[in-house]
Structures are given as C-alpha cells and as structure tokens.
Amino acid sequence: MILRPPRSTPFPYTTLFRSTIYIEGYWQSESYFKDVESQIRADLQFIEPNDDKNSYLAFHIRNSDSVSIHIRFFSSGNEASNNAPKDYYETAIAKMESLTNNCHYYLFSDNPDQARLLISLPDDRVTVIDNNTDPDFAYADLWLMHLCKHHIIANSTFSWWGAWLADSSEKIVIAPGFELRSGVAWWGFDGLIPNEWIKC
C-alpha cells in the first residue's frame, strides 16, 4: 500500500509526509480503516483490464446473480492444514443456495483444475476463471471478483479484499469461521470478519 498526502493537506502534515510511505501488512480488518471507509473505497480503484475475455466475463458477472468463490491452495494442491477444506465449501454453498435464487458461481483459484474438483455443482452453474494465470494479471481476477454480487471467500487476504471492495448493496459474504495458525499463516483473529459477513 502506498500513502501520499492529499494536495489540500495542511503544512505540518505535508512536512511530516514529504516522501512516499510504504506500509506493509495484510490490513484485512475493518478496525484499521472503518472510520474512513468511503475514502479507502475511493482510493482503491481498479484499472480495468481491456482484453476481450475479461470484458466478456465482466459483462456476465454484472448481469447475473453472481457469486465469487475463491479456493486458495497454500501447498501443491493437496488439502494441507492451511487450505480451507472441502466441507467448508459444501457448507458455504448450501448456505448461499438458501439465501439466493438461481445464482451462478465464478470460481477463482491459483489452481483452477484442482479447485473445480472441490465444488459439487453442475458445470452449467460454475464458470472457472482461468485466463489470468500470469502473476501480472492477478489484479484482473481481483477486479472480476469484486464485481460479483455475493462472495464465498477462502482463508485468504486476496478474496477478503475482493469481497470487501465489492460495492453491491445486497452482497452476501460467507467466510471461513475456523482459526488457523501455522508458521506465518493466521486466520480467525478478532476483527478479521466484518459483523455482517456469515461465518461457516
């Protein structure tokens, strides 16, 4: 995250922040910025990808009862201790199905083929997003994710931000309710999940 002082800032502030400041962290708790939420949303604007595939996907996401579902693999594709397990996704999908009507799922993952095996839905209800595999295009996945009306996130900063930045006024967000601490991985701390999100 890069912070620069606004142009209208009083002199003492500009003196303090003469240079660009880099702040490192995950920042996946509203406690850090809830009081300036509107400013954060205004500042964190996407540069839309302009290729045909992403434009096509964006059109369909915007014009359907779309649900982003994110599966993050922290290992080589097996259900390691830091991966949200299959039963979480089964429970989350069942909950989403009870709250929406005829929704379509858009599956995001760093391993799309493996992720698809964890989702027990027919092919006509799932679109696998597999066109932004180059790390330089990860932002395009995040952009598509934030366009979705509803979200099933992984225990991941990436989908946490995708869901939080989504501006659908009726969005439903389902998040892992478990706690994991292993090495540098940490999920489930107080304040992580906004109050209006549903834990499964």
Side-chain angles (χ1 to χ4, degrees), residues 84 88-89 153-156 174-179 187-188 192-193 198-200:
Y88 159 69
Y89 289 101
I153 71 169
N155 51 319
S156 162
I174 298 176
F178 52 75
E179 183 173 307
W187 185 264
L192 170 66
I193 308 299
I198 299 168
K199 294 182 183 179
C200 279

Side-chain angles (χ1 to χ4, degrees), residues 74-182:
F74 291 91
S75 68
S76 60
N78 299 318
E79 286 194 40
S81 60
N82 284 332
N83 296 334
K86 183 175 183 177
D87 64 347
Y88 159 69
Y89 289 101
E90 290 172 346
T91 302
I93 289 169
K95 183 67 174 177
M96 187 64 73
E97 291 285 293
S98 73
L99 297 171
T100 59
N101 184 28
N102 198 31
C103 59
H104 188 85
Y105 294 85
Y106 291 84
L107 177 60
F108 299 85
S109 181
D110 53 319
N111 189 338
D113 293 336
Q114 187 73 21
R116 182 65 183 94
L117 299 176
L118 298 179
I119 305 302
S120 302
L121 288 167
D123 288 341
D124 63 351
R125 297 200 58 207
V126 180
T127 298
V128 178
I129 309 298
D130 58 5
N131 55 301
N132 298 313
T133 55
D134 187 316
D136 289 342
F137 288 94
Y139 80 94
D141 268 7
L142 190 62
W143 174 70
L144 289 172
M145 191 181 290
H146 106 286
L147 295 177
C148 291
K149 292 180 180 174
H150 310 298
H151 306 269
I152 295 174
I153 71 169
N155 51 319
S156 162
T157 306
F158 190 79
S159 51
W160 188 100
W161 277 104
W164 192 87
L165 288 169
D167 58 8
S168 171
S169 61
E170 300 174 358
K171 71 180 174 185
I172 298 164
V173 182
I174 298 176
F178 52 75
E179 183 173 307
L180 287 176
R181 287 187 177 92
S182 177

